[in-house]
Amino acid sequence: MGKLINLDNLNLANKKVFLRVDFNVPIVNGEVTDELRIQAAEPTIRYLLDKDCAIILASHLGRPEGKPVESLSLKPIAGILSEILDRRVDFIDDCIGEKVQKKTDELIGGEILLLENLRFHAGEEANDPKFARQLANLAQIYVDDAFAAIHRNHASIVGVAQLLPHAAGKLVEEEYQTLTKLLEDPPKPFSAVIGGAKVSTKIDVLDNLIDKVDSLVIGGAMANTFLTSLGHNMADSVVEQDCLTQAKEIYQKAVSGGLEVILPSDFLVAKEISQNVDTHLAELDEIKPGEKALDLGPKSSQQIAKVVDKSHSIFWNGTLGYAEIAKFATASLDLAHVMIASEAETVIGGGDTAAFVDQYNLHSKFGFVSTGGGASLELLAGKKLPGIEMLKS
Ligand code: ADP
Ligand code: 3PG
Ligand code: MG
């Protein structure tokens, strides 16, 4: 496991710190609907406050593509963070320029300033050296706690780190250690439950995990694609036709490597995706034309529970059904409950899966829920992530 430079490796006393966080939170009708990523920054902020640092917080929000977009302002986040910390958090309506430089020059130990959305400037995503220099000039030290954005080769992730003494924050350190441990030294038997919408977004993760896990459970719409590739009839279910060959190859590689591979054997089916639609259970190959598999059935859930019961570590990514609709959330909830009841190390990754466990208030019952969507999957796919590479000693 490559080691990251951490906060204890820096002389932080009274320093001005540029703290990159990921406050890319969901906002519906102007309201932040999930504060987890904001809460996740608290340990690092508190650590820096204990060292009497002045903290300059920087984040992106959404994809404004290099220009200001009012609905993607970080201003409302300053208020939320202030409540979490029970402390004043100032906001400034840009992240570079004379006004920002002056304000940060005047910042003293214990003060916190949140900058406006980094992606309002094209230099952020382009990793423009001039933009990175302007950000670096605001502070003496760079700390990266933006785990969910650590796979991006952007100025505030890579460029600024090249210009200042740098370290990983507490969240990045914990995420990296937890996910890397799963790949390098998981308590055995180690199982992965991979569901969700698309095989195409999970090929690399599956490919990497089949060399590490003892059991692989496939669920969600992904399972439809796998089952179709093996000659089963999934009727009108969501199937990725252009991934059939890849799915079959992964399945064959897993089985020939001696893995236990669990594919669903029964489903909750309906004619359309809606809360009020009629549903019924169907065995594999008994789904009728016009029907879709939208959740797994009880037999499949029992089979999955058996895998969970014998595992000492479990990674779960991707809901097992169309879990945004309560009717199709049963298999995912069953899985959540058996994972919670098990003594195994439980790790959850993926944006929709984390949102699902939050929605049912189960977040704190798992060993670890990653704040990263794409970032955690890329790490588990064994890829080198630009932000992580910058933080290695
Ligand atoms: P994550 O964001 O956690 O990596 P994904 O984006 O891969 O997860 O998958 C979650 C999505 O998969 C959800 O939107 C869910 O509705 C969808 N999904 C799961 N099972 C099915 C299914 N049987 N049919 C259609 N969509 C499904
Ligand atoms: C995320 O939500 O996955 C991160 O904040 C990264 O956002 P991005 O996919 O827009 O780079
Ligand atoms: Mg998703």
Side-chain angles (χ1 to χ4, degrees):
M1 203 184 300
K3 259 187 99 72
L4 298 185
I5 305 166
N6 67 27
L7 294 174
D8 297 328
N9 300 129
L10 294 179
N11 175 10
L12 285 161
N14 295 107
K15 292 286 184 347
K16 199 163 285 181
V17 176
F18 183 98
L19 175 57
R20 181 35 161 121
V21 286
D22 190 312
F23 288 167
N24 185 26
V25 290
I27 297 184
V28 180
N29 300 328
E31 292 287 321
V32 173
T33 55
D34 182 351
E35 296 183 3
L36 276 173
R37 284 187 179 174
I38 310 175
Q39 291 160 2
E42 187 178 352
T44 297
I45 295 174
R46 294 232 180 263
Y47 183 102
L48 296 174
L49 289 173
D50 276 351
K51 304 273 175 195
D52 228 358
C53 294
I55 305 173
I56 301 158
L57 288 166
S59 177
H60 71 285
L61 175 61
R63 293 177 174 173
E65 298 187 336
K67 55 184 185 327
V69 174
E70 211 185 318
S71 60
L72 296 177
S73 170
L74 281 165
K75 191 170 180 195
I77 314 279
I80 296 173
L81 182 63
S82 168
E83 272 179 34
I84 291 172
L85 297 170
D86 194 17
R87 190 180 187 102
R88 183 176 166 150
V89 175
D90 282 328
F91 173 78
I92 188 160
D93 63 1
D94 206 344
C95 61
I96 51 163
E98 229 174 273
K99 194 172 69 178
V100 179
Q101 185 69 55
K102 184 164 179 291
K103 178 93 182 163
T104 55
D105 284 348
E106 288 166 359
L107 218 58
I108 60 166
E111 290 184 332
I112 304 175
L113 175 70
L114 174 62
L115 306 179
E116 182 56 290
N117 194 338
L118 293 157
R119 290 189 188 170
F120 286 180
H121 292 270
E124 165 64 357
E125 292 185 66
N127 190 13
D128 172 23
K130 215 174 116 204
F131 180 71
R133 170 50 72 192
Q134 284 175 293
L135 293 175
N137 284 347
L138 305 177
Q140 297 161 292
I141 300 233
Y142 170 83
V143 175
D144 190 352
D145 219 17
F147 180 74
I150 209 121
H151 57 320
R152 301 296 183 214
N153 186 26
H154 295 170
S156 68
I157 304 284
V158 173
V160 186
Q162 281 165 333
L163 297 170
L164 292 175
H166 50 263
K170 299 270 173 207
L171 176 68
V172 162
E173 217 187 350
E174 190 185 11
E175 293 263 12
Y176 179 71
Q177 278 171 359
T178 307
L179 298 175
T180 310
K181 181 165 184 249
L182 273 188
L183 291 181
E184 294 180 1
D185 187 23
K188 294 282 224 167
F190 172 32
S191 306
V193 181
I194 309 288
K198 291 182 169 177
V199 177
S200 52
T201 61
K202 309 275 166 88
I203 296 273
D204 295 337
V205 179
L206 286 165
D207 216 30
N208 199 37
L209 283 179
I210 54 178
D211 291 336
K212 326 262 178 204
V213 297
D214 303 291
S215 305
L216 175 66
V217 174
I218 296 175
M222 289 235 309
N224 304 337
T225 302
F226 274 87
L227 289 166
T228 304
S229 82
L230 298 173
H232 294 285
N233 176 9
M234 297 305 293
D236 261 23
S237 306
V238 174
V239 171
E240 268 178 297
Q241 294 296 341
D242 51 359
C243 283
L244 294 177
T245 312
Q246 272 170 312
K248 195 170 177 178
E249 275 169 14
I250 288 179
Y251 178 82
Q252 283 168 342
K253 191 170 156 194
V255 171
S256 63
L259 280 197
E260 176 187 44
V261 183
I262 307 286
L263 284 163
S265 54
D266 63 341
F267 306 89
L268 188 68
V269 304
K271 288 208 166 110
E272 56 184 87
I273 301 174
S274 97
Q275 175 61 26
N276 299 321
V277 74
D278 287 337
T279 59
H280 65 94
L281 292 170
E283 301 284 316
L284 183 59
D285 290 326
E286 288 178 5
I287 306 174
K288 297 192 191 75
E291 291 180 338
K292 301 175 203 301
L294 292 170
D295 199 8
L296 307 186
K299 283 188 199 163
S300 305
S301 279
Q302 269 167 25
Q303 237 188 329
I304 296 170
K306 277 190 197 147
V307 174
V308 169
D309 278 345
K310 67 180 180 198
S311 301
H312 287 175
S313 52
I314 306 152
F315 172 68
W316 176 24
N317 166 260
T319 52
L320 298 182
Y322 199 99
E324 292 92 332
I325 293 185
K327 214 173 209 172
F328 304 116
T330 309
S332 302
L333 275 176
D334 286 349
L335 169 61
H337 289 301
V338 289
M339 281 178 74
I340 288 167
S342 108
E343 281 175 15
E345 279 184 24
T346 53
V347 179
I348 290 186
D352 289 291
T353 317
F356 172 75
V357 299
D358 273 354
Q359 193 192 330
Y360 287 91
N361 290 320
L362 298 171
H363 186 275
S364 62
K365 304 201 154 84
F366 290 91
F368 188 73
V369 181
S370 175
T371 58
S376 22
L377 293 186
E378 287 199 22
L379 195 60
L380 287 173
K383 292 187 186 161
K384 284 201 157 140
L385 309 187
I388 293 289
E389 293 310 300
M390 281 312 306
L391 299 170
K392 282 190 176 156
S393 51

